[in-house]
Amino acid sequence: MIDKYAVAALAALAAVGTSALAADKGDVELAYVEWSSEVASTNLVKAVLEDMGYDVKITPVSAAAMWQAVGSGDVDGLVAAWLPTTHNHYLEQVSDKVVDLGPNLVGTRIGLVVPAYVEIDSIEDLEGAAERFDGKIIGIDPGAGLMSKTETVLEDYDITDLTLVEGTGPIMTAVLGDAIEKEEWVVVTGWTPHWMFAQYDLKYLDDPKGIYGGEEEIHTIVREGLKEDLPEVYAVLDNFSWTPDQMAELMVMNQERRADPLKNAKLWIAEHPDVVASWMPDNERE
Amino acid sequence: MIEIPRLPLAEWIDDGLDVLTGQFAGATKVVSDLMETGIEGTVDALMWLPPGVTIVLAGLLVWRLAGIRTAVFALLGLALLWNLGLWEATLQTLVMVLIATLIAVCVGGPLGILAALSPSAYRIIFPVLDFMQTMPAFVYLIPAIPFFGLGPVAAIFSTVIFAMPPAIRLTTLGIRQVPADLVEAADAFGATRRQKLWKVQLPLAVPTIMAGINQTIMLALSMVVIAAMIGAQGLGGEVWRAIQRNEAGMGFEAGIAVVILAMLLDRITQGIGRRGKDQPNT
């Protein structure tokens, strides 16, 4: 009996809901992973598009879900694709269903990271210091490209006394913070931009064999058909690009306790009108 | 030794999923969009009332259903959630859990009755339940996205799969536990199968069935947190965000909110179970 009323109420609400949802220009949906760099960029894009009159919904999910969602066209796009290494595996699965709009940020880096007080500077010296590191390299999610690269590093540098421990990003930073608290030696798989570099004094270990590659880029990926459906949004996403320094400004603002990333994005927009102007649809780019 | 080649099970499943996506994703997306609008509308409607008013109303409802002590706990617990700024997240989670439970009961109840009355149905249904309860939820979280999109609907789908088995199991158990002499008495009075079910077996099984619904709600709550990985938001989303940012304090805040919600729903369903001498109306 209650069920009948519930269903009727739901149906009525659904009808009310759809009529009240009429946005000015249309709805845009973006997915992202809850990494500090992507929280900054995704909220920034949301703020820019909302200023143009779009309703923008952003959903934080796991990396696999993010790629699956853009591949199936459930979300319009994402500005959080780490390529060519970290997310390569996911891109391959959906490459025929998405459009890669190229990098929105270049100059990122991945590699092995240690606190500044650690007395070695190169991956070549890791094996000799294995004991100081407790025989562990603290890693992140097993699916990440950073992890498979690190496996290759262990092989090519002939490192046998250290094992790569799988975990997650937060576990890695928790272990890192804990070791720094106790001034112990620790080595983690890291990447830039990341808030840990703002919080702690860290350094990358040199990679003389260049296995981690020069640099990662963060790409913008959109679903097929977005260009036809929402040409303005497509143009803005295509034009969107900034520098690691500009991103770092916003990430530091977001590091404050209880920070509101969307408010901070609006502040950032107010401070960088020229940059934002260059993303507008009328700026044709090659 | 004969070499047995590795079965391409993963490939088969991938191909099967591709076929299913091609066939049904369009239809399920329509249903999913409608449901999502309904969920959002329900949450908005609940948010439209000032939280203070909603909390007092909830307190009164709990008092009617589960007694004064639980009502006091409800008032304090909900006030704390409001104070912590988790009110909207709590409502989102509550709506998701209730919808998932509703679906689980509507589908699971009849299946449980069927399994209780027909041995062959029992033999088919129960192994499937083992499968549903033990298959790690992560396995179907991501494949659900093409069908239901990101967000609460995909979350509800995986929650139903995970939380429905106890509703079925305990419905079956409740009916099977009805003393045989009562069933014989009903037969002796010439009751039809339908009369026997509605007048004897189901009323006597109500406490056990309520225990099943209680279990379903608890499992649904735990799943709703995991489902935050595919954008379910709500309290699970708060937990997930805190974990991703390595903020233990915030994680525990949202976690405590889940505990409070769980205790409340537990006490309420137990309360209904104890008063279950009333005629069940569906």
Side-chain angles (χ1 to χ4, degrees):
Chain A
M1 179 184 116
I2 292 173
D3 307 358
K4 267 187 228 153
Y5 287 121
V7 170
L10 271 179
L13 280 164
V16 172
T18 38
S19 60
L21 270 176
D24 298 349
K25 282 190 167 177
D27 291 336
V28 181
E29 213 172 316
L30 304 171
Y32 66 104
V33 276
E34 190 86 31
W35 297 346
S36 47
S37 50
E38 318 322 321
V39 170
S41 59
T42 308
N43 274 283
L44 179 60
V45 171
K46 174 178 161 90
V48 169
L49 290 172
E50 285 192 336
D51 283 346
M52 294 168 65
Y54 290 91
D55 256 358
V56 186
K57 186 174 161 196
I58 58 174
T59 313
V61 288
S62 66
M66 170 176 89
W67 283 93
Q68 179 76 280
V70 76
S72 63
D74 181 54
V75 298
D76 296 306
L78 51 100
V79 292
W82 283 61
L83 297 166
T85 306
T86 309
H87 284 161
N88 191 35
H89 178 69
Y90 300 120
L91 176 62
E92 280 172 358
Q93 291 178 328
V94 296
S95 56
D96 54 342
K97 300 180 208 141
V98 299
V99 184
D100 182 352
L101 295 180
N104 61 54
L105 186 136
V106 291
T108 63
R109 186 176 173 186
I110 59 172
L112 291 177
V113 176
V114 294
Y117 55 75
V118 169
E119 291 151 24
I120 64 166
D121 292 310
S122 168
I123 296 178
E124 287 172 318
D125 308 330
L126 263 181
E127 183 76 352
E131 224 162 284
R132 296 281 322 250
F133 291 112
D134 202 17
K136 289 192 191 91
I137 295 172
I138 311 300
I140 53 166
D141 322 47
L146 172 58
M147 293 293 275
S148 46
K149 281 276 188 212
T150 306
E151 297 280 2
T152 313
V153 163
L154 292 186
E155 270 170 42
D156 288 11
Y157 285 93
D158 212 11
I159 295 171
T160 52
D161 290 352
L162 286 132
T163 46
L164 178 59
V165 185
E166 290 175 351
T168 64
I171 291 173
M172 180 273 287
T173 48
V175 173
L176 177 71
D178 184 52
I180 289 173
E181 197 102 331
K182 298 178 183 154
E183 296 228 351
E184 288 169 350
W185 283 29
V186 64
V187 55
V188 302
T189 56
W191 61 93
T192 322
H194 191 295
W195 57 262
M196 65 185 182
F197 289 91
Q199 191 149 341
Y200 309 118
D201 194 5
L202 305 170
K203 63 184 181 189
Y204 277 98
L205 290 177
D206 294 337
D207 174 20
K209 297 187 189 218
I211 294 160
Y212 281 117
E215 293 187 334
E216 279 272 88
E217 296 173 339
I218 308 181
H219 281 232
T220 302
I221 307 280
V222 296
R223 65 173 170 87
E224 254 185 355
L226 182 70
K227 193 172 186 173
E228 292 73 33
D229 300 344
L230 295 163
E232 268 194 335
V233 175
Y234 179 91
V236 170
L237 288 173
D238 199 5
N239 289 341
F240 170 60
S241 77
W242 52 341
T243 65
D245 286 347
Q246 289 166 336
M247 184 192 248
E249 275 176 54
L250 188 47
M251 277 164 67
V252 169
M253 288 156 84
N254 287 344
Q255 263 310 298
E256 302 283 318
R257 276 228 162 269
R258 305 257 169 209
D260 179 345
L262 186 61
K263 266 194 201 135
N264 288 340
K266 286 177 178 156
L267 289 172
W268 191 96
I269 289 173
E271 287 168 16
H272 301 80
D274 309 355
V275 182
V276 178
S278 72
W279 301 336
M280 290 297 115
D282 40 12
N283 288 296
E284 283 300 320
R285 281 204 329 176
E286 285 309 306
Chain B
M1 279 299 289
I2 310 163
E3 274 289 313
I4 300 176
R6 184 182 175 282
L7 282 177
L9 194 57
E11 288 79 357
W12 290 343
I13 291 172
D14 282 338
D15 294 347
L17 275 172
D18 283 345
V19 171
L20 281 177
T21 310
Q23 292 287 328
F24 298 111
T28 48
K29 277 291 287 186
V30 173
V31 175
S32 149
D33 286 346
L34 190 75
M35 221 168 126
E36 191 160 351
T37 316
I39 293 167
E40 280 170 9
T42 314
V43 174
D44 285 347
L46 286 168
M47 285 292 292
W48 176 77
L49 276 174
V53 177
T54 315
I55 291 172
V56 171
L57 288 176
L60 288 171
L61 183 73
V62 173
W63 181 38
R64 289 283 303 124
L65 290 174
I68 191 76
R69 280 170 58 186
T70 314
V72 173
F73 172 74
L75 287 176
L76 292 175
L78 293 175
L80 174 68
L81 298 184
W82 180 24
N83 169 276
L84 291 176
L86 292 169
W87 185 245
E88 186 170 10
T90 304
L91 289 181
Q92 281 173 333
T93 296
L94 181 67
V95 169
M96 264 190 296
V97 167
L98 291 182
I99 291 179
T101 307
L102 194 70
I103 296 174
V105 172
C106 290
V107 176
L111 282 175
I113 295 171
L114 187 69
L117 301 182
S118 146
S120 53
Y122 180 92
R123 273 197 298 276
I124 296 167
I125 291 173
F126 270 63
V128 175
L129 295 188
D130 294 333
F131 202 91
M132 284 163 68
Q133 273 182 295
T134 49
M135 176 61 77
F138 295 102
V139 174
Y140 47 82
L141 269 180
I142 306 287
I145 292 172
F147 297 99
F148 303 105
L150 283 185
V153 183
I156 285 173
F157 163 78
S158 39
T159 304
V160 168
I161 289 190
F162 182 68
M164 189 161 58
I168 301 178
R169 281 179 201 281
L170 285 158
T171 304
T172 305
L173 184 72
I175 293 175
R176 289 189 160 199
Q177 274 181 339
V178 172
D181 49 357
L182 287 174
V183 181
E184 277 167 22
D187 282 334
F189 282 112
T192 60
R193 248 181 104 159
R194 176 169 309 192
Q195 283 171 321
K196 205 164 63 180
L197 179 66
W198 284 105
K199 303 284 184 209
V200 180
Q201 289 169 308
L202 274 180
L204 286 167
V206 161
T208 316
I209 293 174
M210 278 316 292
I213 294 174
N214 173 297
Q215 284 298 300
T216 294
I217 290 178
M218 294 296 122
L219 287 177
L221 258 172
S222 59
M223 187 65 204
V224 156
V225 175
I226 295 172
M229 292 179 66
I230 50 171
Q233 295 170 326
L235 290 173
E238 300 290 327
V239 172
W240 170 247
R241 183 167 309 131
I243 291 173
Q244 294 273 64
R245 294 187 186 171
N246 196 9
E247 293 179 352
M250 267 185 64
F252 272 100
E253 261 185 17
I256 288 167
V258 175
V259 173
I260 290 174
L261 196 59
M263 285 171 73
L264 269 179
L265 290 169
D266 179 59
R267 299 298 177 278
I268 293 169
T269 42
Q270 283 192 7
I272 298 173
R274 272 196 300 276
R275 298 164 67 241
K277 298 286 168 261
D278 319 353
Q279 283 294 313
N281 45 19
T282 34

